[in-house]
Amino acid sequence: MEQVTMKISGGLLNQLWNAHKLSREYASSAAATKRRVAAMFDAEWVHRFELDDLVSDMDSRLVHYGVNSFDLARALELPVRTAFAAPRHKTQENFSGSQMLHAHDVAGLLIWLEELGFDVDPSELVARVKQQLKGKRYLTDPEISVHLYEKQRSRSEARLDAPGAGAPVRSETSTTPHGYRMEALLDSEGKCVSLHVKGARWRASRKPEPVAMECPDCKLTYVNGDREDGIVHRRHHNNWLAVERPSPNPRFAALSTSARIVQVDARSPRWLRKAMYDRALHFKRELHFDFVQWDIDEKDGPDRCVGFLFASDEGATITGACAFRWREDANWSPAWAMQWMWLAPPYRRRGILTQHWPSFIARFGAFRLERPLSEAMREFAAKRGIPEKEDDGGDPIAR
């Protein structure tokens, strides 16, 4: 497994290390611990004293040495929040709240303590929480730990460092009864400045070290060697490729006419509006816009916003897109404006816009070309005598 490195306060790190050096005391019965876990899970929110009691049931060394369970939670960036009792009646206006931790986050905290070699058993709470994760689309960090618990138990490697602590001068090692191996680096005063813990079943990874890299084509930055990042990159890359180097689309072929153009507006099927959005997104990236100029759920009707998907000669491939929007600005007479126009690289400089330009003029009249303009669009406008700037500094107008 990958090593997890965290920075925590020197005081808390010393408490954890010194708690490890205490002799192990008698723990509560499994039945009593199970009842306490069940009550926590049913209540959903856990008070600090309840969490301290649970930790004490499992490994009393932590509480006896003064380790604050909520400080541990904050070190893990688990949200300690104010929770309120539900109102008893509709007219209730005053509420009493307490600092509490969610049961899912408690499970993550217990897993972390086990990974640090303490004699806690998260399995009862993990089993209950895991049932609630089924079907969830997104998981928090603690919920990911719960999801992976059975697979990764005892295989962890963790390092805790105290920022700003003194330089280490010696080390101490120990092994827990459950086989967790620990190495503490101590400063000249005997204070722990770094704690390294390996699980009983930890093995050094033979995989190459993951390296962050940017795809030269789709420009996505991902971690090469990380399985999940690889899946995300392949999905993103395939979506990018389908727009940049399009292939025939049977559904689009069924719509394409001899005019080699398909109108898209707020009434069009979602897949067509999504095709417009994908090309508007590529236009945004190329010209470094702050936002995408087409909304899949466009609210304006075709009398105020209309898009067009260009078709290849055989009519089956989407080669690009453009969008027009009705403008009513203070410095201009009401008129249509071409907001953007984008063509897939293999179809550029093939006369596609030239082919459709007369029909755009016929439909939208003297429409404006909204800035910024790409170099190709500037050249196109210049060939047709469309000035780069009007006298009032506005956008060029196609006539």
Side-chain angles (χ1 to χ4, degrees):
M1 277 185 58
E2 179 183 356
Q3 181 188 110
V4 177
T5 301
M6 292 181 54
K7 295 185 182 299
I8 65 173
S9 70
L12 183 56
L13 181 56
N14 267 292
Q15 286 181 311
L16 293 172
W17 174 239
N18 288 322
H20 260 304
K21 295 192 291 185
L22 290 176
S23 59
R24 181 73 173 88
E25 297 183 8
Y26 173 75
S28 298
S29 68
T33 300
K34 187 173 183 178
R35 287 194 297 271
R36 196 183 295 278
V37 167
M40 280 185 178
F41 182 77
D42 292 340
E44 190 176 359
W45 290 92
V46 181
H47 290 276
R48 177 189 158 187
F49 70 86
E50 294 173 320
L51 181 54
D52 285 341
D53 288 345
L54 176 63
V55 172
S56 180
D57 279 354
M58 296 180 176
D59 194 334
S60 60
R61 295 175 298 173
L62 287 161
V63 175
H64 287 179
Y65 209 86
V67 177
N68 184 318
S69 55
F70 274 17
D71 284 347
L72 289 174
R74 293 186 180 96
L76 273 177
E77 299 184 354
L78 298 176
V80 176
R81 291 176 285 191
T82 302
F84 300 87
R88 296 182 179 180
H89 49 81
K90 294 181 179 179
T91 59
Q92 182 174 333
E93 296 181 356
N94 298 318
F95 299 86
S96 177
S98 304
Q99 293 286 290
M100 304 179 81
L101 200 65
H102 195 274
H104 290 198
D105 296 326
V106 171
L109 177 60
L110 295 180
I111 292 172
W112 185 64
L113 287 173
E114 185 181 51
E115 290 177 352
L116 291 182
F118 288 103
D119 195 12
V120 301
D121 185 1
S123 57
E124 179 67 28
L125 184 56
V126 163
R128 293 172 180 268
V129 171
K130 193 169 185 178
Q131 288 299 314
Q132 291 187 338
L133 302 185
K134 293 180 179 179
K136 290 188 67 173
R137 187 172 181 181
Y138 298 102
L139 302 179
T140 64
D141 281 345
E143 289 169 345
I144 288 289
S145 297
V146 167
H147 176 72
L148 298 174
Y149 179 67
E150 285 86 359
K151 180 179 180 180
Q152 296 186 351
R153 191 178 192 183
S154 300
R155 301 180 187 275
S156 60
E157 180 183 17
R159 182 184 296 276
L160 303 181
D161 295 320
V169 296
R170 62 187 180 90
S171 65
E172 291 183 7
T173 60
S174 65
T175 302
T176 71
H178 297 291
Y180 281 74
R181 292 156 286 172
M182 294 181 291
E183 179 184 23
L185 301 182
L186 311 178
D187 63 13
S188 57
E189 297 179 358
K191 295 180 180 179
C192 183
V193 299
S194 181
L195 179 63
H196 189 191
V197 184
K198 295 178 180 179
R201 296 190 295 165
W202 175 87
R203 296 292 183 272
S205 175
R206 296 180 180 179
K207 296 181 180 178
E209 192 71 20
V211 177
M213 63 183 298
E214 180 183 83
C215 175
D217 294 324
C218 69
K219 305 302 181 185
L220 180 72
T221 299
Y222 66 101
V223 178
N224 188 29
D226 182 277
R227 180 174 178 272
E228 294 302 320
D229 253 24
I231 293 173
V232 171
H233 172 240
R234 284 193 296 274
R235 184 182 300 120
H236 181 273
H237 191 95
N238 289 338
N239 290 339
W240 171 88
L241 198 64
V243 178
E244 289 273 336
R245 300 168 192 170
S247 56
N249 183 326
R251 284 198 295 180
F252 185 70
L255 299 175
S256 183
T257 66
S258 59
R260 300 292 180 258
I261 196 168
V262 173
Q263 178 176 318
V264 183
D265 54 50
R267 306 167 303 181
S268 300
R270 185 175 180 83
W271 72 270
L272 281 175
R273 289 180 276 130
K274 174 65 163 55
M276 284 289 300
Y277 172 83
D278 289 340
R279 283 142 187 90
L281 178 60
H282 282 245
F283 178 83
K284 166 194 174 290
R285 289 171 177 167
E286 284 191 25
L287 271 71
H288 308 290
F289 268 63
D290 293 330
F291 59 94
V292 182
Q293 294 173 293
W294 181 273
D295 190 344
I296 296 177
D297 298 316
E298 178 64 54
K299 300 299 187 294
D300 287 339
D303 58 329
R304 301 189 65 87
C305 179
V306 62
F308 297 95
L309 292 170
F310 300 125
S312 57
D313 290 339
E314 79 280 2
T317 302
I318 302 175
T319 61
C322 70
F324 289 82
R325 191 175 292 273
W326 180 256
R327 295 302 193 191
E328 297 178 359
D329 301 329
N331 298 328
W332 289 85
S333 299
W336 284 95
M338 178 184 276
Q339 263 194 302
W340 57 274
M341 198 279 293
W342 184 88
L343 291 172
Y347 294 92
R348 293 175 184 177
R349 300 188 181 278
R350 290 193 180 186
I352 291 178
L353 185 55
T354 300
Q355 174 189 348
H356 298 290
W357 194 256
S359 64
F360 289 154
I361 294 289
R363 176 166 179 174
F364 300 108
F367 59 84
R368 293 153 51 187
L369 301 178
E370 291 193 344
R371 290 194 181 89
L373 303 179
S374 66
E375 287 299 324
M377 182 56 84
R378 284 198 182 95
E379 293 178 12
F380 181 90
K383 289 178 181 178
R384 281 152 186 79
I386 302 173
E388 174 64 21
K389 289 186 177 181
E390 293 295 300
D391 293 340
D392 62 358
D395 291 338
I397 298 179
R399 301 183 188 279

